[in-house]
Amino acid sequence: METSESHKISDGIQKLYDQPVQNLASYHWPPLKNIDHPLCSDESSEGAHLSAEAFEQYCTLESSSGSGGYPAVNSPSTASFSPKKKAVSWPKCQSYPSELQQSPDNTCGTPVSGSCLTENENDLRHKLRELESAMLGTSSDNADIYNITSPTGNQVSLESEKWKYIVEILSRGDLKEVLFSCAKAIENNDMFTADWLMSELRQTVSVSGEPIQRLGAYLLEGLVARLASSGSSIYKALRCKEPESVELLSYMHKLYEICPYFKFGYMSANGAIAEAMKDESRVHIIDFQIAQGAQWVILIMALASRPGGPPHVRITGIDDPTSAYARGGGLEIVGQRLSRLAESFKVPFEFRAAAISGPEVQLENLGVRPGEAIAVNFAMMLHHMPDESVSIHNHRDRLLRLVKGLSPKVVTLVEQEANTNTAPFIHRFLETMNHYGAIFESIDVALPREHKDRINVEQHCLAREIVNIVACEGAERVERHELFGKWRSRFIMAGFTPYPLSPFVNATIKTLMENYNDKYTLEERGGVLFLGWKNQPIIASCAWR
């Protein structure tokens, strides 16, 4: 975000502090002036008011897509697809835009050489004859008759009509339709059509172009990876040199600043926790994806200003290997930072590390003590948990039942509003194109297209999700988003009841949104908040008890 816009945020949030607080008495939310993101310095012991410079030093974005709970896929730029190539070949690592080098064990090489479609000259000639017959309107003995449904609803039923349709969408330059048709061809095992469309797409997509061109570059990567292999072999083939942790954190912070998705999630979740704990003297927060712990900076500040003094706060931070990589160290880093912050605000504080991945969490890992009011935080984490569609070990529902057994005061859920879990491939592809297309558009209005950081932000924070959704199946596909309706069913089956966000929290978030582009939309439905772009919901936030 531009500097001038940052001042707007500070000024906009400042208005909130002068308003009466109905539900929390004089309990300020957010608690301090001149704060527009939950950041903190390691050197924050001078007092309760932290400078903007100090906050910048603490900046992270831990629950973002860049720190998901699966092996990192460092998507190479689709600029590596040579427009001159007509065969599908694996994308090779390029030094674009940062120095992405091939790993020493040559794991970034090419598992598929030449064309992965056909190596038989006679097969190729046969396909060419099929194409010729189709374009001339005659039938082929082996005509592939299947339906192609475009994003605009066009229906094609015969081979000849299929080719006429493809020629038409290519001629009018509808990139979304071309991408969809390519995915449809792959789903139907029509390799000749897929190869042809990929050749055309290579000349159209661009990581530095318009939003759909940039998204198309990573969708194309996913399609190529899907053709070449699946699962762990994809990760191995794409394992290029990762950015240093400080660089990755910088990319995450940039995304955090230019788009409100994560601020929205953190603020709404923290608001629900603060309200539920307003009368408690001992608070235990269990965060199932703590990573950098930046979400809790603002909450600690808010609790410090609570009438009657702050409660004793204990945070159990659950971690996974990806977060440790992004952070550049173990959970002790989080504990030290939050402890120094709490000390500077005179909040009794204790941190407990649980270095374990979500599916492995058991009751004994949570360190529950008698007499503590429990808050559980699921911020963009549960969609990484495998469910009944993956294996008999349904960790998604198991964790919810485990948490319900703790009798928590509140459980917060922040998730992307998308259907990529059990949807068939072609529907999942279309859902991904629409969902991430909206995100890429929102980035486009916030960061100049020629900005050097934009490509890094999209490549390291978003591309890996896209490739995983498109390329992988089974246990290897860990990006499994669900719509709120499905989450609602899961929580109710686990015994939870809704805990609607208060009008005060909603008003605070609306104030935040006034400082962003007016194409963002904020909607409340049944106590659930949906943040969207051009009326397409992107993030859903809710609370349960």
Side-chain angles (χ1 to χ4, degrees):
M1 180 173 295
E2 302 286 343
T3 304
S4 60
E5 293 179 350
S6 297
H7 288 306
K8 289 181 182 178
I9 291 180
S10 297
D11 295 338
I13 293 182
Q14 176 61 48
K15 299 175 183 177
L16 179 65
Y17 308 128
D18 299 325
Q19 299 175 1
V21 179
Q22 301 297 329
N23 297 332
L24 304 181
S26 60
Y27 179 20
H28 293 295
W29 183 262
L32 291 182
K33 301 181 180 180
N34 301 322
I35 298 175
D36 60 346
H37 48 76
L39 309 176
C40 170
S41 170
D42 289 354
E43 294 78 29
S44 57
S45 58
E46 290 115 42
H49 293 277
L50 306 183
S51 67
E53 293 80 3
F55 278 112
E56 288 297 328
Q57 296 178 22
Y58 192 88
C59 177
T60 64
L61 173 58
E62 61 285 356
S63 295
S64 78
S65 50
S67 57
Y70 60 94
V73 178
N74 187 11
S75 290
S77 164
T78 309
S80 60
F81 292 126
S82 171
K84 296 180 180 180
K85 288 186 178 180
K86 293 301 180 183
V88 177
S89 56
W90 195 269
K92 297 180 180 179
C93 293
Q94 302 276 328
S95 53
Y96 175 78
S98 59
E99 291 300 317
L100 301 177
Q101 300 175 3
Q102 185 167 325
S103 59
D105 58 353
N106 199 29
T107 56
C108 197
T110 305
V112 180
S113 61
S115 174
C116 66
L117 306 180
T118 177
E119 298 293 343
N120 190 305
E121 184 178 351
N122 292 329
D123 287 345
L124 179 56
R125 289 176 180 173
H126 178 67
K127 282 294 183 181
L128 288 172
R129 284 197 298 270
E130 283 186 0
L131 174 58
E132 181 180 14
S133 297
M135 297 305 291
L136 292 175
T138 60
S139 62
S140 170
D141 293 337
N142 297 316
D144 179 19
I145 300 177
Y146 60 83
N147 292 333
I148 295 181
T149 304
S150 76
T152 57
N154 295 327
Q155 191 76 17
V156 182
S157 60
L158 299 177
E159 184 78 3
S160 60
E161 291 301 315
K162 177 187 73 175
W163 291 111
K164 290 177 183 177
Y165 166 71
I166 291 176
V167 170
E168 179 185 346
I169 63 173
L170 288 175
S171 64
R172 66 174 176 256
D174 191 326
L175 186 52
K176 287 183 107 176
E177 282 192 296
V178 178
L179 285 163
F180 181 86
S181 296
C182 186
K184 185 68 177 179
I186 291 174
E187 181 188 49
N188 287 281
N189 203 31
D190 184 356
M191 295 297 98
F192 186 79
T193 303
D195 192 22
W196 182 25
L197 292 177
M198 284 182 172
S199 296
E200 296 297 328
L201 285 169
R202 292 185 194 109
Q203 303 176 57
T204 308
V205 299
S206 170
V207 293
S208 59
E210 297 178 358
I212 185 57
Q213 290 178 303
R214 307 198 306 267
L215 173 61
Y218 300 118
L219 287 171
L220 182 56
E221 279 191 15
L223 291 174
V224 171
R226 185 179 183 86
L227 277 179
S229 186
S230 64
S232 59
S233 59
I234 291 178
Y235 296 125
K236 181 178 180 181
L238 291 178
R239 193 173 65 232
C240 307
K241 180 183 178 182
E242 289 281 2
E244 297 295 331
S245 60
V246 64
E247 294 174 336
L248 182 56
L249 290 178
S250 175
Y251 305 147
M252 294 176 184
H253 173 46
K254 180 63 68 173
L255 180 61
Y256 180 92
E257 284 300 304
I258 64 178
C259 296
Y261 303 122
F262 303 104
K263 289 181 184 179
F264 161 79
Y266 289 172
M267 184 174 289
S268 56
N270 285 353
I273 294 172
E275 182 177 324
M277 300 296 180
K278 60 185 177 183
D279 297 322
E280 301 294 337
S281 60
R282 300 187 70 84
V283 175
H284 181 194
I285 299 172
I286 301 174
D287 189 350
F288 271 82
Q289 183 67 58
I290 194 166
Q292 305 302 313
Q295 177 177 349
W296 308 116
V297 174
I298 289 294
L299 182 60
I300 291 173
M301 295 176 183
L303 294 175
S305 66
R306 197 176 71 170
H312 179 279
V313 178
R314 187 163 68 97
I315 294 180
T316 293
I318 299 171
D319 185 79
D320 62 33
T322 304
S323 297
Y325 163 76
R327 185 171 49 245
L331 278 170
E332 66 277 2
I333 296 176
V334 177
Q336 292 167 2
R337 287 175 174 172
L338 293 180
S339 295
R340 283 195 291 267
L341 174 74
E343 182 180 1
S344 69
F345 283 91
K346 296 180 173 56
V347 175
F349 181 79
E350 185 179 346
F351 183 82
R352 182 176 182 277
I356 187 172
S357 63
E360 299 173 337
V361 172
Q362 302 294 334
L363 177 61
E364 55 268 23
N365 303 124
L366 303 180
V368 176
R369 298 175 184 170
E372 292 180 328
I374 296 175
V376 176
N377 185 60
F378 290 116
M380 298 181 192
M381 172 269 176
L382 273 179
H383 73 272
H384 289 146
M385 295 299 99
D387 68 353
E388 69 279 2
S389 68
V390 180
S391 72
I392 59 174
H393 303 291
N394 184 352
H395 295 291
R396 192 169 297 199
D397 290 344
R398 181 187 69 82
L399 284 180
L400 293 182
R401 292 193 299 268
L402 174 64
V403 167
K404 181 59 180 176
L406 304 177
S407 300
K409 291 279 292 187
V410 65
V411 176
T412 55
L413 174 71
V414 181
E415 279 291 347
Q416 290 173 248
E417 183 70 356
N419 181 21
T420 65
N421 184 22
T422 58
F425 168 69
I426 195 62
H427 298 289
R428 187 168 81 236
F429 183 87
L430 183 57
E431 179 85 351
T432 302
M433 184 161 55
N434 291 334
H435 179 80
Y436 286 92
I439 296 176
F440 274 60
E441 285 185 14
S442 66
I443 293 176
D444 207 52
V445 302
L447 202 62
R449 194 167 297 174
E450 64 277 5
H451 200 290
K452 64 179 182 179
D453 287 339
R454 185 194 49 71
I455 294 175
N456 280 325
V457 165
E458 293 173 349
Q459 180 179 358
H460 296 293
C461 300
L462 298 174
R464 63 184 63 203
E465 286 190 2
I466 296 167
V467 171
N468 182 261
I469 293 171
V470 173
C472 296
E473 297 294 347
E476 284 77 24
R477 180 160 60 83
V478 296
E479 295 297 330
R480 292 178 169 272
H481 308 101
E482 291 186 320
L483 298 173
F484 170 73
K486 187 59 185 283
W487 290 119
R488 181 179 183 275
S489 297
R490 291 188 187 277
F491 271 79
I492 291 176
M493 285 190 297
F496 290 96
T497 57
Y499 184 78
L501 299 177
S502 72
F504 173 72
V505 174
N506 294 346
T508 303
I509 294 174
K510 288 179 181 178
T511 301
L512 169 71
M513 297 309 301
E514 290 175 359
N515 299 282
Y516 288 89
N517 191 281
D518 58 9
K519 291 185 177 64
Y520 285 105
T521 57
L522 187 65
E523 181 183 5
E524 179 186 2
R525 298 200 302 262
V528 182
L529 282 180
F530 295 88
L531 175 62
W533 176 260
K534 295 181 179 179
N535 293 313
Q536 176 174 329
I538 301 296
I539 300 286
S541 179
C542 56
W544 303 82
R545 59 183 171 187

